[in-house]
Amino acid sequence: MNKTTGEKKRPPPVKVLSGQLRTAADSGDGWSIKLGKGRSLAVSLVWMQGTVVEVQIDRNTVLLMDETGTFGVQGVNSIPKGKPCLSQGKYVMVMGVILAVSPEPVIRAVKMADLSELAALHRRMWKLEVEELQQLLA
């Protein structure tokens, strides 16, 4: 607990794939994702990457897809510099808080960035980055 504000310090975002969130369990204080070999990792703030599949400005949401499936992102209209990310086909990163994991993962965006310029490189590296960080944290 932070004594001056009374708020708990939020841990840094954990890089995850949508498929991992789909199987996450509610741990009471956040979510727990399975890493295999009986290991799991507690997450609340996540860092995800994917291609924009559908934009619904009127509903303040966007649907993204990574190599393990689709996931929804809410609150996109209020993200500073988020507007350039909101077009179909863009490859973007999003950091956010998990709102739901089933039937489809949904996160509330805190930050978004357009990675389209080097999308091929980012796509190739993403799964390796996710695995490496999770190995370190578990």
Side-chain angles (χ1 to χ4, degrees):
M1 277 275 197
N2 183 328
K3 289 179 184 166
T4 56
T5 63
E7 291 180 21
K8 288 199 303 189
K9 186 178 183 304
R10 190 180 293 277
V14 176
K15 296 177 181 181
V16 298
L17 300 170
S18 65
Q20 291 177 304
L21 283 187
R22 238 177 229 91
T23 61
D26 189 345
S27 66
D29 193 29
W31 298 91
S32 176
I33 58 170
K34 296 176 183 81
L35 300 179
K37 298 180 187 168
R39 295 179 313 145
S40 64
L41 181 63
V43 297
S44 59
L45 188 64
V46 294
W47 174 340
M48 301 176 77
Q49 289 181 190
T51 303
V52 176
V53 177
E54 183 181 355
V55 179
Q56 297 178 335
I57 295 294
D58 57 325
R59 293 184 57 209
N60 201 17
T61 64
V62 64
L63 182 67
L64 300 180
M65 180 167 50
D66 66 16
E67 65 258 30
T68 62
T70 56
F71 59 100
V73 181
Q74 293 183 351
V76 295
N77 295 343
S78 57
I79 300 299
K81 300 182 184 169
K83 293 276 189 258
C85 302
L86 302 180
S87 54
Q88 198 168 354
K90 293 264 189 180
Y91 189 76
V92 302
M93 69 75 69
V94 60
M95 285 184 199
V97 179
I98 302 167
L99 298 178
V101 297
S102 178
E104 180 171 76
V106 177
I107 65 173
R108 186 183 72 243
V110 174
K111 178 180 180 177
M112 286 184 85
D114 185 355
L115 303 179
S116 299
E117 194 172 321
L118 297 171
L121 175 65
H122 287 295
R123 267 192 198 97
R124 275 199 313 273
M125 297 301 295
W126 182 240
K127 195 167 186 204
L128 298 172
E129 289 178 34
V130 170
E131 289 170 2
E132 180 182 43
L133 179 67
Q134 290 177 3
Q135 292 279 331
L136 291 170
L137 295 174

